Amino acid sequence: MAEALRIGIAGLGTVGASVVRVLGEKAAELTRQCGRDLVVTAVSARDRSRQRGIELGSAKWFDDPVDLARHADIDVFVELIGGDANPALACVQAALEAGKHVVTANKALLARHGVALAEIAERKGVVLNYEAAVAGGIPIIKTMREAMAGNSVSRVFGILNGTCNYILTRMEAEGLSFDACLKDAQRLGYAEADPTFDIEGHDTAHKLAILTSLAFGCRISADDIYMEGISNITQADIRAAGELGYRIKLLGVAQHTESGIEQRVHPTMVPTASVIAQVHGVTNAVAVETDILGELLLSGPGAGGNATASAVVGDIADIAKSRPGFQHAPVFGRPATELRPYKRARMRSHEGGYFIRLTVYDRVGVFAAVAGRMADNEISLESIVQHGSIAAEPGTKTVILVTHATSEAAVRKAVESITSDGHLTDKPQVIRIERAD
């Protein structure tokens, strides 16, 4: 049997503790699968005295994770600290430069520094694995990086944040407000005390940026993602979507077009009959559209200690199974030095059109004025109706418009004009309708 794989883990929070637990409980099975023992020989965390419910055995404790990363007696450094700055960045860089394999669940770190870290890993001939960084326990990274050779990807999209999907699911199923669902998500541990990173789309954007690089062979560009969160979604939107045959989901979408790559994160109406509309609660799902395979959809647990630990342990096991001289797959599917510069796509027509909800004064001529502003911007309407089932204040009416394919710029300009005309009593709501078949 080959020598044991020596593992150093930095970060012993929920995920780190789960990884240690799984490696201990599944030790015999992992040894059979990998042909060698997987042993945690060193750890680092901020608080030595904290009770974590795990057995660390004879593992050496490091107060400084950078010292752990350089430690001669580890083969694999597992970074579970989080964040896109130090100490996470410093210790991953140190481990790679020292010739250690690295496993991380840190999507923020990869979204900001992934290409630079990949260049170090490939120069040193070591592995940088990050399955747990995107969609928790779903094996989307391995699938896209290793199992889809020869396929050209045209679009990748999905539900990448369990907190948002949980909130939207509860809003629809139980008729609750956004605020009520958010408070419940916080009570259950699905949302942080400060939920901004999740509900405003930042978490989804980081994950999407990584998938975009894998899909299209480009450098990561997290700052070029159009982003909207779900905090402005109301029961009026949920009900109107249902009556129109749609369900609202927060999607991350990356699409290759003739003018470049389009990346966006926003609430989206998807047909109720589509597969992705059936993804409920904290579950994640990722769809990949290719020329050879067609559409592939993977769905499963997107967060939590066990789901993330499963992905981390899987990455460690892949390293354990490899042998000296084995050529590892490039970190982002292609050599990091050959990743193309990211080219942002020009504004284009959105295939699925738009849902627009307006609360207007109940007076003569408003319908005509709204339709006129749409026509001024060359927007073709599939329907424009007064929505009687959505409650409005006395003296006001709710108007629902559904457009045919048109550009984002045209919709925004038309809505701004309607607002300037003084017809609205409340902020307008604009939600894209996405093809999700």
Side-chain angles (χ1 to χ4, degrees):
M1 183 181 293
E3 292 184 359
L5 185 75
R6 302 167 301 175
I7 304 162
I9 300 177
L12 293 175
T14 301
V15 175
S18 294
V19 170
V20 172
R21 187 178 301 108
V22 170
L23 288 171
E25 293 175 352
K26 300 290 186 179
E29 181 63 24
L30 287 167
T31 297
R32 283 194 294 271
Q33 292 177 352
C34 300
R36 61 200 296 195
D37 293 334
L38 278 59
V39 182
V40 178
T41 57
V43 296
S44 177
R46 286 181 293 184
D47 184 0
R48 288 194 187 211
S49 63
R50 179 181 169 189
Q51 294 299 310
R52 298 177 172 88
I54 54 175
E55 178 57 53
L56 293 174
S58 60
K60 185 174 181 179
W61 189 282
F62 286 80
D63 291 319
D64 185 348
V66 176
D67 290 341
L68 167 59
R70 297 193 181 109
H71 186 43
D73 292 336
I74 68 167
D75 305 303
V76 179
F77 176 72
V78 180
E79 184 274 306
L80 300 172
I81 299 169
D84 63 1
N86 294 333
L89 175 59
C91 60
V92 170
Q93 287 176 326
L96 294 172
E97 290 288 3
K100 314 291 185 185
H101 302 299
V102 170
V103 173
T104 181
N106 194 335
K107 67 265 183 180
L109 181 70
L110 293 168
R112 294 297 171 193
H113 308 287
V115 175
L117 295 173
E119 289 175 352
I120 299 172
E122 290 167 16
R123 172 167 52 83
K124 288 289 184 176
V126 294
V127 170
L128 173 56
N129 278 348
Y130 52 96
E131 188 66 70
V134 179
I138 302 173
I140 186 61
I141 302 300
K142 189 176 182 69
T143 299
M144 293 183 68
R145 187 166 69 173
E146 300 175 30
M148 296 178 63
N151 281 269
S152 295
V153 178
S154 56
R155 183 170 72 139
V156 57
F157 67 97
I159 297 168
L160 301 173
N161 184 271
T163 300
C164 291
N165 204 45
Y166 171 82
I167 290 171
L168 292 171
T169 299
R170 290 284 306 278
M171 288 180 71
E172 179 188 5
E174 301 176 40
L176 300 174
S177 69
F178 171 84
D179 289 338
C181 291
L182 173 58
K183 287 178 182 177
D184 206 36
Q186 290 171 318
R187 180 182 62 81
L188 294 169
Y190 296 147
E192 301 291 338
D194 179 359
T196 304
F197 193 73
D198 288 322
I199 65 173
E200 297 303 338
H202 301 281
D203 176 75
T204 298
H206 284 160
K207 296 169 182 176
L208 181 66
I210 295 167
L211 293 178
T212 299
S213 181
L214 281 166
F216 305 120
C218 62
R219 299 178 76 86
I220 294 174
S221 187
D223 293 330
D224 282 307
I225 298 178
Y226 177 87
M227 189 167 59
E228 294 176 23
I230 65 168
S231 57
N232 66 338
I233 299 297
T234 68
Q235 271 299 319
D237 302 317
I238 297 287
R239 290 198 299 274
E243 292 179 16
L244 290 167
Y246 295 103
R247 184 166 283 145
I248 298 177
K249 298 291 185 183
L250 182 77
L251 294 188
V253 182
Q255 186 159 346
H256 190 273
T257 75
E258 292 180 359
S259 63
I261 297 168
E262 178 182 302
Q263 295 184 101
R264 45 193 168 85
V265 172
H266 50 74
T268 307
M269 288 191 176
V270 294
T272 305
S274 64
V275 176
I276 206 158
Q278 312 309 315
V279 178
H280 302 305
V282 295
T283 304
N284 281 196
V286 184
V288 186
E289 295 178 357
T290 76
D291 57 344
I292 301 174
L293 184 62
E295 182 176 316
L296 172 72
L297 187 137
L298 285 78
S299 177
N306 286 340
T308 309
S310 174
V312 170
V313 171
D315 277 348
I316 296 170
D318 279 347
I319 295 168
K321 293 172 186 175
S322 65
R323 295 295 181 262
F326 177 78
Q327 184 67 41
H328 303 290
V331 176
F332 291 105
R334 299 162 180 79
T337 55
E338 296 179 14
L339 292 171
R340 296 186 296 273
Y342 177 83
K343 182 182 179 184
R344 189 172 187 172
R346 295 192 306 269
M347 188 69 72
R348 66 182 187 90
S349 292
H350 177 65
E351 290 181 5
Y354 290 81
F355 162 94
I356 304 169
R357 177 174 57 80
L358 307 173
T359 304
V360 302
Y361 289 106
D362 185 7
R363 56 195 182 199
V364 176
V366 171
F367 261 45
V370 169
R373 286 302 190 183
M374 293 291 159
D376 291 344
N377 289 278
E378 299 181 343
I379 298 171
S380 174
L381 293 176
E382 181 178 313
S383 65
I384 173 172
V385 296
Q386 176 183 326
H387 212 286
S389 66
I390 296 178
E393 294 296 323
T396 69
K397 291 184 177 181
T398 299
V399 177
I400 302 293
L401 301 91
V402 176
T403 81
H404 290 291
T406 187
S407 72
E408 178 87 12
V411 168
R412 296 297 174 185
K413 187 176 179 181
V415 171
E416 287 172 6
S417 296
I418 294 167
T419 304
S420 298
D421 291 340
H423 297 306
L424 303 185
T425 68
D426 201 358
K427 185 178 178 181
Q429 178 69 287
V430 178
I431 302 176
R432 293 163 191 79
I433 300 172
E434 190 78 16
R435 176 177 60 84
D437 44 85

